[in-house]
Amino acid sequence: MAEKDGILHGIWETVKTIVYALLIAGVFRTLFFQPFWIPSGSMKDTLLIGDFLFVNKMAYGYSYASCPSIRIPALGVDITAEDFCGVFKSDGNDPEAPGGGRLWGSEPERGDVVVFRHPVTGRDFIKRLIGLPGDRIQMQGGRLVINDEPVEITDAGIFEEIFAPQGPQQQRPRCSNGAVGIGAVCEKRRYIETLPNGVSHSILDIQRQSFDDTGVYTVPAGHYFFMGDNRDNSRDSRESQASGGVGFVPFEDIVGRADRIMFSSAGRSMLFFWTWRSDRFFKEIE
């Protein structure tokens, strides 16, 4: 009997340890940092497929979007931040907080690389913040125009990568030098773009497309306008939510700021150590 009680006690202690560990991890992930893998090439060459980073949730304060989401496609698990903390999400009708209230909120700055929840699907996106509330944003001939002033750009040569399946989803890059074969060099034109507040970052250009020339987007109060650095391969605020894009993002949907790449793998799995990009470990995000 004593032996049986000892076994049950051991099982109970193990269960408590697991529960405590999960609670601690959940609190850490909710309040401080959220891990994030880069799944697509929309932010090249700032962020590459397979880059791993922690999102700083303290940067802009907390909202419902600070709660974690759990997605395990193989098991059919899809629990979003709204499922956990939707009770804290605003209905958008408060004139004092059109973007939703935030606890200890701090305004993001133009040029920040930000993770946010898609306003419709709840999926996590990572893009660069281009437009602030009240800004007028437009693309003219592939060049960004903010409040009627073209943004300064300088030629930075050619960005090269090998044309091959990339990451767990085995995505193939788009190239400006035409249809190239597997193993060939895939090129894109690279520029340095300097935003009005002095933040400089690289952008890539593949080819002329419809979103190189747009109408004027006027950013509503309490919302932000985001774009990918890989301008011709990014679904962002230039495209409406109804069309599968991001549209204007409410302040409360912002999760946090991406500051530094912690680890990077070019392969289908982080376990493939021969595909690790050691030059990107602990790399600051600009």
Side-chain angles (χ1 to χ4, degrees), residues 4-26:
K4 182 178 180 180
D5 290 342
I7 293 174
L8 292 175
H9 177 75
I11 293 174
W12 174 240
E13 289 300 316
T14 300
V15 170
K16 286 199 300 182
T17 300
I18 294 173
V19 170
Y20 291 154
L22 290 174
L23 287 174
I24 293 171

Side-chain angles (χ1 to χ4, degrees), residues 52-159:
F52 175 78
L53 49 88
F54 283 105
V55 180
N56 181 359
K57 289 189 172 185
M58 299 175 285
Y60 311 128
Y62 303 94
S63 73
Y64 89 95
S66 302
C67 289
S69 58
I70 301 175
R71 288 190 173 90
I72 310 175
L75 300 178
V77 176
D78 190 356
I79 305 174
T80 68
E82 191 167 354
D83 293 325
F84 279 119
C85 299
V87 67
F88 301 112
K89 187 175 182 180
S90 74
D91 59 9
N93 296 320
D94 183 358
E96 298 300 321
R102 297 186 76 93
L103 181 64
W104 303 314
S106 176
E107 295 285 337
E109 298 181 4
R110 195 190 313 275
D112 286 355
V113 176
V114 176
V115 170
F116 57 88
R117 311 283 189 198
H118 190 286
V120 176
T121 68
R123 303 283 178 177
D124 287 343
F125 275 60
I126 185 165
K127 305 288 181 185
R128 191 176 297 276
L129 197 161
I130 297 297
L132 304 174
D135 280 347
R136 298 182 306 280
I137 308 295
Q138 187 176 19
M139 295 296 293
Q140 295 180 353
R143 188 170 182 179
L144 176 63
V145 178
I146 300 178
N147 295 326
D148 306 319
E149 292 291 334
V151 168
E152 178 187 345
I153 60 171
T154 56
D155 195 324
I158 300 294
F159 170 75

